[in-house]
Amino acid sequence: MIAADKVASDVASHFDRMKSEGCSFADARLYDEDSSQRLVLYDGNLESNTSSIERGLGVRVLKDGAWGFAATADLAAVAACFDRALSNARAAAHLPGFPKDMGLPQPTTGSYRSPVQKDPFEVPLAEKLAFLKGIDATLEDKTIAQRIVWAAFQRRKIIYWNTEGTEVDRWVSNVFATMMAMAPDKDGRTHRRSVELHGDGTGTRGWEWLTEPKWFSGHADRIKSELAEVLAADPLPPGRRDLIILPGQGFLQVHETIGHALELDRILGYELSYAGGSHVRPEMIGKLRYGSEKLNCRAGKHQNSPGTFGFDDEGTPQRDYMLIDGGVLVNVLSSRTDLGEANELAGREVFTESGSAARATSFYRTPIDRMTNISIDPGNDGTLDDIIAATEDGIIVDVPVSWSIGSNREHFHFGTEIAWEVRDGKKTRVHKNPTYQGHTLEFWRSLDMVGDQSTWCLQQVANCGKGEPNQVMQLGHGVPVLRFKNVQTGEKE
Amino acid sequence: MLESRIRDLLLAARKEALNRGLNAEFSLHRERSNLIRLGNSSVALSTYEELTRLDVSVQDGRKVGSYGLTADITSEGQLLEALERAAENCSAALPKDYDPIFAQVEEAIDDSSGFDPELESLSAEAKTALCKQVVDGLKPKGKYDFSGSWSSGSAEMYMTSTANENEAYRHLTDSRFVMVLKEQDKKWELSVERTAKALGAFSAEDVVAEFATLLPVYEGNQPYATETGRLRVLFGPQAIAQLLSLALWGGFFGRTWEEKRSYTAGNKPGDKLFSELVTIVDDPSHPDVFGMPFDFNGLRRRPFTVVERGVFKALLYDSMAAAKYKKRPTGHDLSNTDFVLSPGTGEPGIAGGLDAAGDALYIPHLHYIHMPDPTKGLFTGSSRFNAIRVQGGRFTQPMVSTRVTDTSPSVFSNITTMSSRSVSQNESNTYGRREPEAMSVPEWMLCDNVRITDVADSF
Ligand SMILES: [Zn+2]
């Protein structure tokens, strides 16, 4: 196996070569180790018991305003990888547009380690399986038709270098887990109730987090009993009413109608043919009323989240900054490369620095603008009980079942696992088949209550998809309880 | 057949597994992929990846463990280590409550019929040049920006197991071209797609001509926001493929049917489910699809009829569902299937669809389609590129983003006519590995009483 030191010296010599070839910038990411493991229990049967490892190098070069990227798992072939990236950049430059530009050099050195007490990869497989089997046993019941309990672990050791002298090394660890119970109602329609490993954004993210009952295993009995309530419930009648969203659903509302809409590559039209565009335009920064004045949304740096990684894949130290401040759009998710183009489109300087959101999913994918931790700040409207007490006619919804969003993120339709009716300040009964839909700006402008810190919860996203070639990314959303006025809920037919 | 350097290592590892008394399966995936990404009328990025992935599974009675490696395969040591890791995972596994089916390559397969060396080596320069021709041909005609992508490359898929001496191998090339034209002020978006298995399947002139047929409708007419309710819809190829995917996913997977979670749960083979115009076959021999000759349980894939003239014929069982529910696996241990929705008898060409439609909504693309309720087959998704109002058999106004929320059984029962000509619709994704997938669908499908539930104020 070729050691990282040898790759580093090879990369340095090829950086010099790329500069002599006229490249304005080049960078390289060595995934010295990219380990993952996925364990799935389905009705108690171990249906996935897989571990895997990837190792390789990804190289980007910027020449004449265009990017070339190449990747190889053959670390004896670093020269060929640089050659291929250079020839790709040359080809791209045959159809030039607004020149890609990294701005002023930002040489950085540093390192990052995800906070972990007990590395899940050091925990014996048998111990992991025993833990998951224990949760499965709790879910097992004659009223439950299917049970799924799964956990996935990632450990990445990444070294980043660029021609500005930046060198950053990172060990990034992730743990994801879900439990789900399913059963049919009297009409034969299957319903489900689930919970994912979540947190409060603090603490560490190793095996110790997964095994802390408060954040995962302790919810098994609750989801079982809530599923029983759903099975006995009437469907949600259609109508306009207030909508109270718990963090288990709120994270996806934020993800789909704020996060994706604020990715600069989508805003500039670079994702149109696949993921889609955005209703946001660069000139709207500082002007667009995205939501009510209760809406404060940030790209955060929570200690314990898959959206926290120290430095992005251009070596930019991760920043904590507002995206929506008092309801007004003030920033977007960006990398270094498109800021000039966005400023020109806006007709003024709306962006001065990278949003530290350049992220790649593996050594063989190039960094693109991604979500990090897109979080809503807690508000001043009290606890969940306070919000319920202040609601005359509404529902509380939790955990997505389905999601469908317009290609510019301008409208959406969500289905959730459960809804609780709220009448005259009290939770009255459960409804099944809840759905709601709306138009993004109108919806966020109808936000009228934001729960306090006691309602705020960090939800993980293990599989956000975007980009061509496709990339699956991990990120986080911290969300309090949110209340929206007069929302279209339920299905009319 | 796979390069002998790697094949010999795999066969040596298989022999070592046999010597150690292990039931082991080995599969290898190798790709060479190039993609150019077009944004704002320029090629903003060009990528190349050359990757080899090895997957090893070991089975011991009711216990199974797997290990995957993405690396350049250069030594027997790497393979033996992968085998060892899979064996360790198997050893620590929990036994299943059924007998899993061990992979066995049914017959030796060595298929490079879909490989075109010229397409494999299609350069980023050549792709950029074609995109430039399209941009140069259309950009002067309006305030247009172009984006899109063009992915091309080759994939090799190989498997063998200790169950017998057989090896299965597939080598193919594929290309997917998508170009989107966006009007800078009015913000509407048009798209043109091309799928190919070999070089030279399309030209810049074709692409320009297809955009040119749509542009007058978009340039010359006000946007249309339809009423909601049950309406007549003329679906185009990408939307049909999306509807077909959901109909299959929600209704015809053995596991979900056995667990009564599919909209067909109350039905059995022989029941009438859809309009008699509907015949659905997973047919690797069809010329419109990429045609995967084996699955990763080792079965030879043959044409497999799911629905015939509206009647439920069979369910798809992968080896896991088959083992659990004591059924025969059907060759569906793979993600790149080859589904064909048989064409109808309508006049070919979009003109035939417009004539048949009279007044309708033309929705050729459905974006972000999802099933809130698989037990009813309820889906929702919204229109995207190229959606146009049809009046009196003519395209009249571009449509703003329009949401369709209906059920698979309803849509496939309400088909009135379909084109007699089929097209290949690319359904590949590249989240993991290059595994080209296409469906063969009629170029148009006319349905009555499709439920439209929401209309946006933009395209
Ligand atoms: Zn996402």
Side-chain angles (χ1 to χ4, degrees), chain A residues 97-396:
Chain A
F98 193 97
K100 301 287 161 196
D101 174 24
M102 297 299 278
L104 295 172
Q106 299 170 7
T108 309
T109 52
S111 62
Y112 172 78
R113 302 284 180 273
S114 297
V116 167
Q117 283 179 28
K118 190 170 184 184
D119 183 347
F121 286 88
E122 305 302 323
V123 175
L125 177 56
E127 186 180 337
K128 290 175 187 159
L129 293 173
F131 172 74
L132 297 176
K133 191 74 181 168
I135 296 171
D136 180 71
T138 311
L139 292 179
E140 194 168 1
D141 192 294
K142 62 181 186 313
T143 63
I144 304 294
Q146 282 88 38
R147 321 178 300 278
I148 300 173
V149 182
W150 67 261
F153 308 95
Q154 296 175 330
R155 183 175 67 192
R156 291 174 174 155
K157 299 181 179 178
I158 309 165
I159 311 171
Y160 172 88
W161 305 277
N162 70 26
T163 48
E164 296 171 351
T166 292
E167 178 169 349
V168 170
D169 81 285
R170 291 178 292 158
W171 292 18
V172 178
S173 296
N174 284 319
V175 183
F176 301 98
T178 298
M179 68 174 97
M180 179 184 290
M182 292 182 272
D185 63 16
K186 63 184 188 327
D187 302 320
R189 177 178 169 173
T190 296
H191 296 266
R192 69 189 206 203
R193 195 73 183 101
S194 66
V195 71
E196 299 191 347
L197 174 64
H198 58 284
D200 63 3
T202 66
T204 56
R205 47 190 296 95
W207 180 247
E208 67 285 352
W209 185 33
L210 177 62
T211 51
E212 167 60 53
K214 179 179 168 187
W215 300 127
F216 188 56
S217 61
H219 295 262
D221 283 322
R222 174 175 65 84
I223 69 166
K224 247 165 78 175
S225 64
E226 288 180 357
L227 179 61
E229 291 183 73
V230 170
L231 295 176
D234 292 327
L236 177 69
R240 295 194 82 92
R241 44 173 76 90
D242 293 351
L243 181 72
I244 299 168
I245 300 186
L246 302 185
Q249 169 66 18
F251 83 96
L252 194 70
Q253 184 72 52
V254 172
H255 182 93
E256 303 291 7
T257 64
I258 296 180
H260 278 306
L262 299 192
E263 293 158 348
L264 184 57
D265 54 357
R266 287 183 75 122
I267 291 171
L268 294 178
Y270 289 105
E271 281 284 325
L272 272 192
S273 64
Y274 179 65
S278 174
H279 59 91
V280 170
R281 298 192 301 275
E283 63 269 28
M284 294 173 172
I285 307 298
K287 295 178 180 169
L288 177 69
R289 175 149 291 285
Y290 207 101
S292 75
E293 59 194 23
K294 298 254 181 191
L295 178 60
N296 290 296
C297 178
R298 72 177 60 241
K301 245 175 80 171
H302 319 301
Q303 176 179 311
N304 177 4
S305 169
T308 301
F309 39 80
F311 301 82
D312 76 359
D313 287 314
E314 290 179 339
T316 303
Q318 190 172 6
R319 295 198 293 123
D320 186 313
Y321 56 96
M322 296 306 291
L323 293 163
I324 299 171
D325 196 348
V328 177
L329 179 68
V330 293
N331 211 332
V332 300
L333 294 160
S334 61
S335 52
R336 289 173 63 182
T337 180
D338 293 330
L339 301 179
E341 182 174 358
N343 286 335
E344 177 156 306
L345 277 172
R348 62 196 161 96
E349 190 172 71
V350 287
F351 304 113
T352 54
E353 58 180 329
S354 164
S356 58
R359 303 182 71 191
T361 192
S362 62
F363 74 85
Y364 47 86
R365 294 289 186 258
T366 187
I368 55 176
D369 298 345
R370 296 305 297 240
M371 281 180 248
T372 53
N373 298 298
I374 310 308
S375 298
I376 306 287
D377 287 352
N380 303 316
D381 295 310
T383 64
L384 173 60
D385 286 343
D386 295 333
I387 292 174
I388 292 169
T391 302
E392 267 177 44
D393 175 18
I395 52 168
I396 306 167

Side-chain angles (χ1 to χ4, degrees), chain A residues 252 255-256 260 263 266 370-371 403 409 461 463-466 473 475 477, chain B residues 368:
Chain A
L252 194 70
H255 182 93
E256 303 291 7
H260 278 306
E263 293 158 348
R266 287 183 75 122
R370 296 305 297 240
M371 281 180 248
W403 49 96
R409 306 281 147 167
V461 174
N463 55 358
C464 171
K466 186 183 166 185
M473 187 49 77
L475 49 103
H477 296 289
Chain B
Y368 226 124

Side-chain angles (χ1 to χ4, degrees), chain A residues 42 45 47 49 51-53 69 71 95 97 189 268 270-272 276 341 365 404 411 468 470 493, chain B residues 37 40 43 46 48 64 66-68 70 89 96-98 149 230 259 261 368 373 375 384 401 403 430:
Chain A
Y42 194 108
N45 285 308
E47 303 287 38
N49 176 25
S51 53
S52 64
I53 189 160
F69 174 80
L95 184 49
R189 177 178 169 173
L268 294 178
Y270 289 105
E271 281 284 325
L272 272 192
E341 182 174 358
R365 294 289 186 258
S404 176
H411 59 93
E468 292 175 298
N470 304 139
E493 223 175 40
Chain B
R37 197 152 175 251
N40 295 337
V43 173
S46 171
Y48 180 81
V64 181
S66 307
Y67 184 75
T70 299
N89 285 346
K96 299 176 196 257
D97 64 9
Y98 59 86
S149 67
R230 290 208 170 262
E259 293 173 357
R261 292 192 289 117
Y368 226 124
D373 183 3
T375 51
R384 196 171 177 188
S401 181
R403 181 169 292 283
T430 52

